[in-house]
Amino acid sequence: MALRVLVVDDEMLARARLRTLLAECASPAAAVAGEAAHAGQALEWLAANRCDVVLLDIHMPGLDGVELARRLRAQDDPPAIVFVTAHAEHALQAFELDAVDYLTKPVRRDRLQAALQRVATRVRPPAAAAPPTGGDADAGVLLVNDLGRRIRVPVSDVLYLKAELKYVTLRTATHTHVLDDSLTDLEQRLGPRFLRVHRNALVARGAMQALERRLVPGDGADDVAEGWAVRVGPVGEWLTVSRRQVAAVKDAIAEGGL
């Protein structure tokens, strides 16, 4: 079954290009279920219709795409979000909002297809989703790029994975690597050994050492606020914990990561 797509962009030509590219995508297939020229029109459409993913521009008259994504994320069972924009400076905000992907204009078909594959992994049962492409977590390793080489990192060595800009940082006790995979894909592939402590971080249960109230990054680029954070050993780094995950982190620490 084709993914149902809502295209939100104030430029008619941009919407037309996305329609053309979506028609050329085959794995998974996608169909334009609706279009909107601004956020208000998108909210009106979504109140009466269902879609799997919103292809969302950021700079639009009135409510911008980031604020629209924030409102959608607060809803029950929201559609997946893929930002499509000519501006790269909002990438961090996009991934803090748990966007599936962030595409820059002019959009290439292969990048759009990869984004749709990530959407399919999120919205469909695992058996129907596209197979993972970035590693071999089922075999106990992840494949990463390291100075032009492909190396195998044992999953047992991974302390945490954190979404930053367009990439995911993988941290072991001795090295930091960069992955192209989305955090959502990695969460599904790695299974219960890792806990989603925040929308931008997965932490190995056995690596959690302490949970404390600390100053953590706020919503703005330079903001800090008091919140919960978990200490990751043996590196001793602190990662922000969302309020709804505090109890799960406490349980993981009490159980010794088992």
Side-chain angles (χ1 to χ4, degrees), residues 148-167:
R149 300 176 300 148
R150 294 283 279 175
I151 64 174
R152 298 161 66 89
V153 177
V155 172
S156 58
D157 289 351
V158 179
L159 302 177
Y160 68 79
L161 300 116
K162 186 177 180 182
E164 297 177 293
L165 297 176
K166 294 184 179 182
Y167 306 100

Side-chain angles (χ1 to χ4, degrees), residues 1-252:
M1 181 181 296
L3 292 171
R4 290 173 54 84
V5 182
L6 171 63
V7 178
V8 184
D9 197 306
D10 62 318
E11 297 181 2
M12 182 176 63
L13 291 178
R15 298 197 304 272
R17 173 170 172 77
L18 286 174
R19 283 199 307 271
T20 299
L21 291 175
L22 287 166
E24 296 172 353
C25 291
S27 179
V32 176
E35 294 185 22
H38 53 78
Q41 197 172 42
L43 289 169
E44 183 178 348
W45 188 91
L46 287 166
N49 299 276
R50 180 192 64 80
C51 69
D52 298 306
V53 57
V54 179
L55 298 184
L56 180 57
D57 189 21
I58 290 182
H59 290 288
M60 297 183 292
L63 200 68
D64 69 13
V66 171
E67 183 57 33
L68 175 58
R70 187 173 287 114
R71 294 191 183 189
L72 293 179
R73 192 172 182 274
Q75 298 177 356
D76 293 333
D77 193 24
I81 299 292
V82 173
F83 283 104
V84 182
T85 177
H87 306 275
E89 66 268 22
H90 297 284
L92 179 58
Q93 282 181 288
F95 285 102
E96 286 176 345
L97 290 167
D98 199 26
V100 174
D101 212 333
Y102 189 96
L103 308 182
T104 53
K105 300 177 180 177
V107 178
R108 303 195 317 270
R109 184 178 61 183
D110 60 331
R111 283 291 289 116
L112 178 59
Q113 184 76 80
L116 294 176
Q117 289 173 349
R118 291 173 174 173
V119 170
T121 302
R122 175 176 292 195
V123 304
R124 294 175 177 171
T133 59
D136 192 6
D138 291 337
V141 298
L142 289 173
L143 297 179
V144 303
N145 291 312
D146 184 68
L147 300 176
R149 300 176 300 148
R150 294 283 279 175
I151 64 174
R152 298 161 66 89
V153 177
V155 172
S156 58
D157 289 351
V158 179
L159 302 177
Y160 68 79
L161 300 116
K162 186 177 180 182
E164 297 177 293
L165 297 176
K166 294 184 179 182
Y167 306 100
V168 170
T169 296
L170 181 155
R171 187 75 164 92
T172 70
T174 56
H175 292 88
T176 298
H177 302 284
V178 173
L179 296 174
D180 293 329
D181 309 62
S182 75
L183 202 63
T184 299
D185 290 347
L186 290 164
E187 180 180 18
Q188 293 177 349
R189 288 157 51 195
L190 292 171
R193 189 187 306 183
F194 287 76
L195 178 65
R196 186 79 165 247
V197 300
H198 190 267
R199 58 179 173 265
N200 71 349
L202 290 170
V203 180
R205 292 176 180 270
M208 299 180 193
Q209 293 185 335
L211 179 70
E212 294 181 8
R213 296 282 292 180
R214 297 174 63 88
L215 290 178
V216 299
D219 293 332
D222 300 318
D223 294 345
V224 293
E226 186 175 304
W228 289 99
V230 61
R231 188 174 72 226
V232 180
V235 291
E237 297 178 22
W238 292 89
L239 297 179
T240 303
V241 176
S242 64
R243 287 192 299 272
R244 63 181 178 180
Q245 289 298 91
V246 168
V249 172
K250 287 181 179 178
D251 290 343

